[in-house]
Amino acid sequence: MTQSVVVQVGQCGNQVGCRFWDLALREHAAVNKKGIYDESLSSFFRNVDTRSGGDGPDIYKGKICSLKARALLIDMEEGVVNEILQGPLRDVFDSKQLITDVSGSGNNWAVGHKLYGYQYRENIVEKLRKTAEHCDCLQCFFIIHSMGGGTGSGLGTFVLNLLEDEFPEVYRFVTSVYPSGEDDVITSPYNSVLAMKELNEHADCVLPIENESLFDIVNKIHQMINSGKLGSTVKQNSLVTSSAGSTKTVQEKPFDAMNNIVANLLLNLTSSARFEGSLNMDLNEISMNLVPFPRLHYLVSSLTPLYTLADVNVPSRRLDQMFSDAFSRDHQLIQTDPKHSLYLACALLVRGNVQVSDLRRNIERLKPSLHFVSWNQEGWKTGLCSVPPVGHSHSLLALANNTCVKPTFIELKDRFMKLYKKKAHLHHYLHIDGMEQSCFSEAISSLSDLIEEYNELDATKGGPRTDPSRLKIAV
Amino acid sequence: MSIVTVQLGQCGNQIGHEVFNALCSDVHGTHGLCSKKENESYHDACKERFFSEEESEVPVARAVLVDMEPKVISQTLSIAARSGCWKYDDRSHFCQKQGSGNNWANGYSVHGPRHKEAIMNLVQKEAEKCDRLGGFFTIMSMAGGTGSGLGAFVTQCLRDAFPTSFILNHVIWPYGTGEVIVQNYNSLLTLSHLYQSSDALLVHENDVIHKICAQLMKIKQISFRDVNQVIAHQLGSVFQPTYTAEGGLHYSRNPLGDLMETLVPHPEFKMLGLRNIPQMPENSLPYSTFSWPGLIKHLRQMLIANAKMEEGIDWQVRPPQLGSSIPSSHSTNKPLHFNTSIANLVILRGKDMHNIDLGSFRDPSLYTSWLNPQDAFNAWKTPRAFNKYEKSAALVSNSQFLLKPLDNVVGKAWNMFASKAYIHQYTKFGIEEEDFLDSFTALEQVISSYTIL
């Protein structure tokens, strides 16, 4: 069994991260009734003896003493991290896992990446090493951040770089929240494009998320609950947006519902690595199967179901509905429709009481309506994990490597160019030590190249299929 | 002689477990509708082949369990121990913490050499427990990373360490519509490498077994466990003891050797397919009766029409008329859907076996011209019924059964290779484009050889 470490950077990263740890505890508590520290817990948590002040050796077996998250919390402002440390999760983190400063990054990628990066480099490396030492077999770093600001975007991608240098063998999965069109941070296009270059070059897999999609899902659920349709009640803890059953007893903050969705995404992604099933899907398999070319590692994700009805006498047509929903526009976590674009690869991670025949039936059913690239017509990777998420009997996470990410990137590029042409706000960046005009031109060039790669693939869509001729053997 | 089973990867371990279950429940759960003496001989022969007698109350499977991550092995060991019928040797397993990530190169080039010593030590220990070693039976899937990549490496090591022992690889062919995206690459590399070190490859296709579960066993929600149980049943029908000689007095002691001798006359032709009839849900058994002529007729038609199960057989397919007496190596007068065989083995289990006519299987028109029909066909029998079926017949065939699946896999892999997709994942671990090309060449050769039969 392997371990993973979560590195949460910036306000967004830490708020999402906080929800992740909360829901992770909830999930394990539901599965682990006896309170024994087992291998699945160890993938994200350490078990320490609190008497020695959290400094003592980890306890590998036996009863759970005190669980500590395998995490690093980084923020250049204190507000968010302080709140976490005063909240119900304070015992899950210790002070040695935090790196904070006071003044923030001013929504400036250069401040986050060059200034703070340089300043905190050694500190970060040291803390990473410590976390890695506590791991028996470290498999993956999960970075959570936003792209539009300064800390998450700048310092977050600095850490990404660092991870590649210091831990080249460990996978780097990045969950990135992309800014929306109406983002109130004027410089978010600069920050995002500068960060994109780093993601292109140093991440193994990126899961892009857009706030608008999360918002739409939250609204959809709201409507569902308030409409009182069917007279059935929704199971509270099954909502993909809910914190019910977790440590949060205080009134939920506005972003909590949205952040819970992302937290659930990460839990589902790692479920097959943590729990048993008839067809396991580990994190290294995700990277192997979904990344056909090194730079095309952006995966569009969708989660279903969004809620479970409390009435259990619902027929199993719902199972097939779950698969259909995973491909519908309004379940995707970015504003896009994969059905009308080209699939390079698709992964389906199913949890709960679902068997291989259900999986096969639905793949057969949905395949005709999806466009797959010519050299990967059966590009499906599947996983079956026996343990369902809290409140559900089954669930599905779909990860698509699909050209439908292209519009997001094109928009980003356009917004960047609008500012860059006028050299707006550029001086805020250029006066930071280590920052030059070339950083900008290289970044936009990297993004353009990426868009071009997707364009080339799209050009093959719907064209005539000529399979390359096979090797001829002399008889 | 005893067989040491090596279970590789998630699939190999899940199936291996069901195989030992099936063997045990056949021996202990049923009394075989034969004499007590017969039953006892059968029991002893089975024990010798697959289980060792140690100071435990239950027989211990002669197996080595290998996986690069711990979840499946720990599950397999505990479920077996809880059965109370048999168990694995607690020390006879090897696992690591992080799997192979569906990467053949990772399994073959990284995990293989790194863990060779530890794994071979375990194999050596199991081999030493045998009074006489009859050979190795490895179970693996082609689609993943460990079973396929590490499995290919281990097979090579087995060949190096035991040059005179028989090695039979049981290979699981993945579902056609993907379980793993890079499954065609992994399959290509596995098959081409196994071909060099293995004596024969016994293949089960997931798609076929799935159909059997759906249409014959009438299972509604088919799980991998259901699939694995059908596979285990079919393997049991081949490996349980039989009399290989007409009028033989003792159960054959050398199953793998006998298998190779009858079915693999030429190293270019190693692909073996397996059919087993009848196959039905357990609660239908009391209402069914079978006759040997009926079973044999079905099995023969399944052979020549390349039917995967006993429903939906194309009865129109006929063997070609042998017009001329001069055998030609490029028989162009063979009807299109006819499945040509090199060698066939029929295994019959059950009562009332006197006067069974297997002449239809000895028909020379079924076979290529370069073996005598008498040598090309063999039959093994036992009056002891297998696993609640009062009569059952199995066919192990070295024929064009697997030509189409093989061609499909190579075709898809070639298609993907032409675009260079995913290649960087393999070169990362030391498998280069030339290695791919070598494998393509090797398998196109096999395809060509089977095509012109």
Side-chain angles (χ1 to χ4, degrees):
Chain A
M1 186 75 79
T2 56
Q3 290 81 41
S4 298
V5 170
V6 175
V7 182
Q8 29 194 96
V9 190
Q11 172 176 20
C12 171
N14 276 290
Q15 283 176 198
V16 173
C18 184
R19 298 314 312 137
F20 169 77
W21 291 110
D22 205 359
L23 292 181
L25 284 169
R26 183 181 79 162
E27 180 168 271
H28 282 283
V31 173
N32 190 338
K33 300 289 185 193
K34 296 191 189 144
I36 306 271
Y37 180 70
D38 60 12
E39 296 235 313
S40 61
L41 259 177
S42 83
S43 65
F44 279 112
F45 295 96
R46 290 168 54 209
N47 188 22
V48 292
D49 188 347
T50 38
R51 287 170 299 176
S52 43
D55 259 341
D58 286 2
I59 308 170
Y60 288 105
K61 289 195 176 137
K63 280 221 156 265
I64 294 173
C65 214
S66 171
L67 290 175
K68 290 272 181 245
R70 299 188 193 277
L72 206 53
L73 286 69
I74 304 178
D75 201 355
M76 295 295 98
E77 281 174 325
E78 294 180 312
V80 178
V81 174
N82 275 344
E83 216 184 304
I84 296 177
L85 293 179
Q86 280 153 24
L89 288 176
R90 58 182 167 275
D91 292 324
V92 173
F93 306 105
D94 65 51
S95 55
K96 287 180 244 60
Q97 292 170 276
L98 319 169
I99 298 178
T100 54
D101 203 308
V102 276
S103 26
S105 302
N107 286 326
N108 186 328
W109 184 91
V111 172
H113 195 96
K114 303 279 183 186
L115 195 78
Y116 286 125
Y118 180 72
Q119 193 176 328
Y120 283 99
R121 187 182 208 282
E122 268 183 51
N123 193 350
I124 296 174
V125 173
E126 197 205 309
K127 297 209 152 111
L128 285 171
R129 291 228 160 276
K130 249 261 113 166
T131 356
E133 270 162 34
H134 284 128
C135 296
D136 209 4
C137 180
L138 177 59
Q139 182 182 50
C140 185
F141 283 107
F142 285 98
I143 298 182
I144 313 178
H145 72 148
S146 71
M147 299 283 279
T151 302
S153 176
L155 190 53
T157 49
F158 179 83
V159 172
L160 177 62
N161 248 298
L162 209 65
L163 291 175
E164 189 175 16
D165 289 336
E166 302 288 323
F167 305 91
E169 314 267 299
V170 180
Y171 287 92
R172 296 171 291 283
F173 274 61
V174 187
T175 306
S176 307
V177 180
Y178 280 70
S180 62
E182 305 94 42
D183 198 284
D184 49 6
V185 176
I186 303 180
T187 49
S188 67
Y190 282 161
N191 297 332
S192 303
V193 172
L194 288 163
M196 274 292 287
K197 173 163 176 290
E198 306 299 318
L199 293 182
N200 279 343
E201 291 173 15
H202 306 292
D204 286 312
C205 274
V206 177
L207 301 160
I209 314 275
E210 279 177 351
N211 271 342
E212 290 146 316
S213 300
L214 298 179
F215 192 65
D216 287 342
I217 290 176
V218 169
N219 273 343
K220 190 169 170 188
I221 291 178
H222 245 74
Q223 279 172 5
M224 172 58 211
I225 299 178
N226 294 333
S227 74
K229 249 203 283 197
L230 309 173
S232 308
T233 44
V234 172
K235 275 194 193 162
Q236 275 303 307
N237 64 355
S238 72
L239 295 175
V240 78
T241 52
S242 154
S243 311
S246 69
T247 61
K248 259 201 185 278
T249 45
V250 206
Q251 190 206 15
E252 291 182 20
K253 304 233 279 305
F255 278 104
D256 277 347
M258 289 161 63
N259 292 338
N260 280 336
I261 300 175
V262 185
N264 275 313
L265 164 65
L266 289 172
L267 282 176
N268 283 338
L269 189 67
T270 54
S271 61
S272 189
R274 288 176 291 138
F275 302 119
E276 42 102 40
S278 63
L279 188 58
N280 296 333
M281 182 154 103
D282 207 345
L283 293 166
N284 50 6
E285 293 174 31
I286 293 176
S287 162
M288 173 69 180
N289 284 287
L290 293 175
V291 184
F293 300 102
R295 279 158 50 97
L296 301 181
H297 53 244
Y298 294 86
L299 307 177
V300 180
S301 47
S302 66
L303 284 172
T304 61
L306 300 174
Y307 50 78
T308 316
L309 298 174
D311 180 359
V312 285
N313 294 326
V314 182
S316 67
R317 262 185 298 121
R318 257 199 318 143
L319 192 61
D320 286 16
Q321 184 60 43
M322 177 177 81
F323 280 91
S324 302
D325 284 342
F327 291 91
S328 84
R329 203 182 215 290
D330 42 3
H331 281 79
Q332 308 301 318
L333 298 191
I334 64 171
Q335 298 275 287
T336 189
D337 190 359
K339 263 186 146 150
H340 293 113
S341 300
L342 193 63
Y343 274 91
L344 302 181
C346 186
L348 297 175
L349 215 184
V350 191
R351 296 180 68 174
N353 185 17
V354 184
Q355 301 302 343
V356 63
S357 55
D358 302 310
L359 202 52
R360 306 233 59 78
R361 182 180 69 247
N362 281 288
I363 290 179
E364 293 302 314
R365 189 172 61 85
L366 293 165
K367 215 163 77 108
S369 59
L370 304 170
H371 308 281
F372 273 81
V373 74
S374 66
W375 40 260
N376 205 1
Q377 288 282 300
E378 284 99 19
W380 297 92
K381 164 68 180 159
T382 55
L384 290 166
C385 173
S386 321
V387 177
V390 173
H392 293 270
S393 59
H394 46 252
S395 78
L396 171 63
L397 165 68
L399 293 171
N401 191 341
N402 187 310
T403 56
C404 67
V405 281
K406 204 176 60 170
T408 306
F409 297 153
I410 292 179
E411 257 185 62
L412 208 58
K413 180 178 173 187
D414 288 343
R415 279 188 247 139
F416 175 97
M417 291 312 291
K418 260 207 183 109
L419 291 175
Y420 193 57
K421 280 210 184 96
K422 302 205 213 106
K423 304 221 188 303
H425 305 280
L426 224 45
H427 54 285
H428 289 135
Y429 291 78
L430 295 177
H431 82 78
I432 303 288
D433 219 359
M435 197 67 189
E436 286 159 16
Q437 191 95 15
S438 59
C439 296
F440 281 84
S441 48
E442 278 167 21
I444 197 65
S445 164
S446 172
L447 182 57
S448 299
D449 287 344
L450 183 68
I451 293 173
E452 194 45 42
E453 276 188 63
Y454 280 111
N455 274 335
E456 278 170 26
L457 285 163
D458 265 337
T460 67
K461 180 175 171 230
R465 255 275 317 274
T466 40
D467 291 337
S469 34
R470 299 264 292 271
L471 287 178
K472 297 253 183 299
I473 300 293
V475 167
Chain B
M1 292 169 106
S2 312
I3 300 175
V4 172
T5 301
V6 184
Q7 312 181 172
L8 296 145
Q10 173 168 27
C11 175
N13 280 293
Q14 286 177 186
I15 292 183
H17 168 242
E18 296 296 346
V19 170
F20 287 108
N21 261 349
L23 295 174
C24 235
S25 78
D26 173 41
V27 168
H28 293 292
T30 62
H31 48 73
L33 304 173
C34 59
S35 71
K36 188 153 176 263
K37 182 159 169 288
E38 187 71 65
N39 205 15
E40 272 169 16
S41 300
Y42 185 81
H43 184 159
D44 291 338
C46 170
K47 277 282 279 306
E48 182 194 50
R49 286 178 188 196
F50 296 105
F51 298 92
S52 64
E53 199 75 69
E54 297 179 5
E55 296 99 44
S56 62
E57 315 86 55
V58 289
V60 178
R62 297 184 191 281
V64 178
L65 292 73
V66 179
D67 201 356
M68 291 296 99
E69 66 103 9
K71 292 196 297 286
V72 180
I73 287 189
S74 68
Q75 245 197 323
T76 310
L77 288 174
S78 69
I79 299 180
R82 273 183 302 187
S83 73
C85 211
W86 64 279
K87 67 185 197 86
Y88 286 106
D89 182 335
D90 292 317
R91 296 150 300 175
S92 199
H93 63 96
F94 178 81
C95 61
Q96 288 294 282
K97 309 213 178 69
Q98 188 175 179
S100 303
N102 287 166
N103 191 323
W104 193 93
N106 196 6
Y108 185 84
S109 308
V110 178
H111 288 134
R114 198 180 280 175
H115 306 301
K116 175 178 171 174
E117 213 182 303
I119 297 175
M120 290 311 284
N121 272 341
L122 290 176
V123 170
Q124 190 68 42
K125 280 210 183 76
E126 276 299 328
E128 278 163 18
K129 276 198 240 167
C130 307
D131 278 339
R132 281 170 68 206
L133 179 63
F136 298 96
F137 179 58
T138 76
I139 313 179
M140 62 225 272
S141 76
M142 297 198 304
T146 299
S148 70
L150 181 61
F153 186 84
V154 167
T155 305
Q156 226 170 275
C157 295
L158 288 174
R159 175 54 71 217
D160 292 336
F162 301 89
T164 55
S165 290
F166 294 105
I167 302 176
L168 175 65
N169 290 88
H170 180 229
V171 176
I172 298 298
W173 212 269
Y175 286 98
T177 56
E179 296 171 30
V180 168
I181 294 177
V182 290
Q183 63 185 41
N184 297 312
Y185 280 166
N186 292 340
S187 302
L188 171 88
L189 293 163
T190 305
L191 289 170
S192 58
H193 279 79
L194 285 182
Y195 233 77
Q196 290 163 23
S197 358
S198 170
D199 288 308
L201 280 63
L202 182 60
V203 174
H204 265 116
E205 298 167 73
N206 269 350
D207 281 303
V208 172
I209 306 296
H210 193 103
K211 271 224 186 89
I212 292 179
C213 285
Q215 294 177 243
L216 299 180
M217 309 296 281
K218 310 264 192 264
I219 303 174
K220 288 262 153 48
Q221 201 189 21
I222 303 168
S223 67
F224 270 114
R225 189 149 172 265
D226 297 317
V227 171
N228 293 344
Q229 282 175 345
V230 172
I231 293 176
H233 172 88
Q234 295 205 346
L235 288 175
S237 76
V238 173
F239 288 118
Q240 286 291 48
T242 53
Y243 298 99
T244 50
E246 201 64 55
L249 295 170
H250 301 286
Y251 277 114
S252 128
R253 314 272 313 267
N254 189 8
L256 287 184
D258 294 336
L259 199 79
M260 301 306 172
E261 206 188 338
T262 59
L263 290 172
V264 190
H266 189 295
E268 183 67 9
F269 300 91
K270 289 181 179 168
M271 309 286 293
L272 306 178
L274 174 52
R275 302 283 182 271
N276 172 272
I277 59 173
Q279 198 97 64
M280 60 179 50
E282 203 173 300
N283 46 21
S284 302
L285 281 172
Y287 308 105
S288 322
T289 48
F290 306 97
S291 69
W292 287 118
L295 287 173
I296 290 168
K297 187 162 165 226
H298 273 78
L299 206 56
R300 181 180 182 265
Q301 194 60 23
M302 283 167 73
L303 169 64
I304 62 184
N306 199 352
K308 310 284 190 179
M309 57 181 184
E310 67 254 44
E311 255 176 44
I313 304 176
D314 185 353
W315 290 94
Q316 301 297 333
V317 180
R318 289 279 139 81
Q321 304 301 342
L322 284 183
S324 77
S325 53
I326 306 164
S328 58
S329 51
H330 297 262
S331 318
T332 46
N333 54 349
K334 288 230 163 78
L336 221 48
H337 300 296
F338 178 75
N339 180 46
T340 310
S341 306
I342 293 171
N344 286 311
L345 168 66
V346 164
I347 304 172
L348 303 171
R349 300 177 183 273
K351 51 187 193 163
D352 302 332
M353 268 213 247
H354 351 279
N355 307 322
I356 291 186
D357 178 15
L358 288 163
S360 59
F361 273 99
R362 292 201 175 85
D363 182 351
S365 62
L366 265 54
Y367 299 93
T368 64
S369 48
W370 31 273
L371 274 185
N372 265 323
Q374 294 100 289
D375 299 326
F377 176 72
N378 280 277
W380 297 352
K381 300 174 189 153
T382 168
R384 205 256 186 208
F386 174 64
N387 209 5
K388 303 190 174 100
Y389 286 86
E390 67 162 40
K391 296 190 177 81
S392 61
L395 166 68
V396 186
S397 173
N398 189 345
S399 64
Q400 293 172 320
F401 263 170
L402 292 156
L403 181 49
K404 191 138 168 280
L406 185 58
D407 193 58
N408 273 341
V409 163
V410 174
K412 288 187 202 159
W414 184 248
N415 209 0
M416 194 180 266
F417 184 69
S419 71
K420 299 283 174 280
Y422 299 102
I423 300 294
H424 71 283
Q425 308 268 18
Y426 291 85
T427 50
K428 195 160 68 169
F429 293 110
I431 296 292
E432 308 292 331
E433 285 187 30
E434 298 94 70
D435 299 308
F436 275 89
L437 285 170
D438 287 341
S439 294
F440 277 113
T441 314
L443 290 188
E444 292 284 8
Q445 181 68 62
V446 174
I447 291 172
S448 170
S449 306
Y450 270 102
T451 309
I452 60 174
L453 279 184

